[in-house]
Amino acid sequence: MKALVSIITVNYNGLRDTCEMIDSFRSRETYPRYEIIVVDNGSRLPEAEEIQERYGDNPVPGGSLSGSPVSFPPVKVVRNINNGFAGGNNAGLKAAEGDYLFFINNDTLIKEPVLDALVRRIESDSPRNGGVSPMLKFAARPDTLQYAGFTPLSPVTLRNAAIGFMQQDSPRFRIPRETASLHGAAMMVSRRALQDAGTMSEVYFLFYEELDWSAQLRKAGYRLWYEPAAVVYHKEGMTARRDSPTREFYLSRARMLFARRNLRGIGKYLSCAYLCILAAPKKAAVYLLHGQVALAKATICGTCEGIYKNIRTA
């Protein structure tokens, strides 16, 4: 019997996207054993109730590629407060029964089955393989890659790159490889790896959660993979605007928190000093030169909170 996969997604004022994601799995996914868990992170409207009403009944007609009626288990809906990306996913974990946990953004969809390829990648060396992310493409530009693996973070500046980002899909990106980090938009982790590495830290609220978790998984001795046989399409930019002060605050905060949580020895102090003395002031100065005062303030405030935030409780 195939292992059960728990698909966990977080909804926050994104009912349309969430329903499109669920519908894409119900119409395209052929893996025989999976459940879908939607965590509503305190949406303004009663979206949890709408999802429960829409997907709580069984069977669901027209759910297969052939158009014939298919019986699906009801979608599990978890009502949660808005405690961020990690907090929402961790709330979903409490309802998950699967041997494999597939965390996926609600603003994604699939056009072909993905679960079997991801499960097979982990099971190809199950004692050592702890997690895997699929190829990610932009939904608005389906021939353009968002992710084909991550390079390692540099030790001081904490910079990395998404392999294949904004490049056309080609055979060189169709080769499975180990990756330094999983991608937060779509990542599958085995329950064994979860138990050894722990859940995602909720200290971040937004950004760097998957980088931090990937670091914890590697410290626990697990390998992480990029699997191009599975493709997920991402509506990037639907959740947080790139010129938003909120985004800049949490991104600046997260970089500092990551350095404090994951670096050791002199490397930690060098990285924290770089972020405080060089990176944040330079970025804020550039924003000020362009008259973007709110973004400059968010950069400095986020960095400062990252310095003083208690990281021992999360």
Side-chain angles (χ1 to χ4, degrees), residues 94-218:
K94 297 176 183 178
E97 300 178 24
D99 304 292
Y100 297 101
L101 301 315
F102 187 37
F103 302 90
I104 186 166
N105 277 17
N106 72 316
D107 62 341
T108 60
L109 52 87
I110 63 169
K111 299 180 181 180
E112 296 178 347
V114 299
L115 296 181
D116 189 64
L118 297 175
V119 170
R120 280 190 287 110
R121 173 54 56 191
I122 295 180
E123 291 186 345
S124 66
D125 189 356
S126 56
R128 295 198 299 163
N129 294 343
V132 58
S133 278
M135 174 185 284
L136 283 163
K137 293 183 174 182
F138 290 102
R141 298 172 61 181
D143 59 339
T144 303
L145 297 179
Q146 182 185 18
Y147 169 87
F150 274 131
T151 62
L153 287 163
S154 55
V156 174
T157 62
L158 298 183
R159 296 182 184 277
N160 72 339
I163 299 168
F165 182 73
M166 293 301 293
Q167 297 183 46
Q168 298 289 305
D169 188 10
S170 69
R172 65 193 174 107
F173 298 120
R174 291 282 172 178
I175 302 171
R177 62 170 65 92
E178 282 193 62
T179 178
S181 302
L182 303 176
H183 197 294
M187 53 184 178
M188 179 180 287
V189 174
S190 69
R191 187 168 289 276
R192 177 193 298 200
L194 170 72
Q195 291 168 345
D196 289 342
T199 59
M200 278 183 270
S201 170
E202 298 181 20
V203 71
Y204 291 95
F205 191 79
L206 282 176
F207 304 116
Y208 275 69
E209 294 98 336
E210 73 272 28
L211 298 178
D212 184 282
W213 204 26
S214 294
Q216 305 311 313
L217 287 163
R218 290 199 313 274

Side-chain angles (χ1 to χ4, degrees), residues 174-296:
R174 291 282 172 178
I175 302 171
R177 62 170 65 92
E178 282 193 62
T179 178
S181 302
L182 303 176
H183 197 294
M187 53 184 178
M188 179 180 287
V189 174
S190 69
R191 187 168 289 276
R192 177 193 298 200
L194 170 72
Q195 291 168 345
D196 289 342
T199 59
M200 278 183 270
S201 170
E202 298 181 20
V203 71
Y204 291 95
F205 191 79
L206 282 176
F207 304 116
Y208 275 69
E209 294 98 336
E210 73 272 28
L211 298 178
D212 184 282
W213 204 26
S214 294
Q216 305 311 313
L217 287 163
R218 290 199 313 274
K219 288 176 185 175
Y222 289 98
R223 300 162 67 188
L224 308 176
W225 283 85
Y226 156 70
E227 178 51 71
V231 182
V232 169
Y233 296 84
H234 190 196
K235 306 171 193 175
E236 173 70 14
M238 302 289 275
T239 303
R241 289 173 44 200
R242 290 193 171 274
D243 60 348
S244 156
T246 298
R247 180 183 187 278
E248 191 58 59
F249 173 85
Y250 282 109
L251 194 56
S252 299
R253 176 182 181 270
R255 287 194 186 101
M256 181 61 68
L257 290 171
F258 183 90
R260 292 177 58 209
R261 277 177 52 84
N262 292 282
L263 301 183
R264 297 292 180 266
I266 189 66
K268 175 193 286 190
Y269 297 105
L270 288 174
S271 184
C272 290
Y274 166 80
L275 294 172
C276 287
I277 299 171
L278 293 176
K282 179 182 177 181
K283 195 171 190 180
V286 170
Y287 282 139
L288 288 173
L289 286 174
H290 289 85
Q292 297 171 305
V293 177
L295 289 173

Side-chain angles (χ1 to χ4, degrees), residues 252-254 256-257 260 301-309 311:
S252 299
R253 176 182 181 270
M256 181 61 68
L257 290 171
R260 292 177 58 209
C301 290
T303 301
C304 290
E305 179 160 320
I307 296 171
Y308 296 108
K309 175 74 175 178
I311 61 173

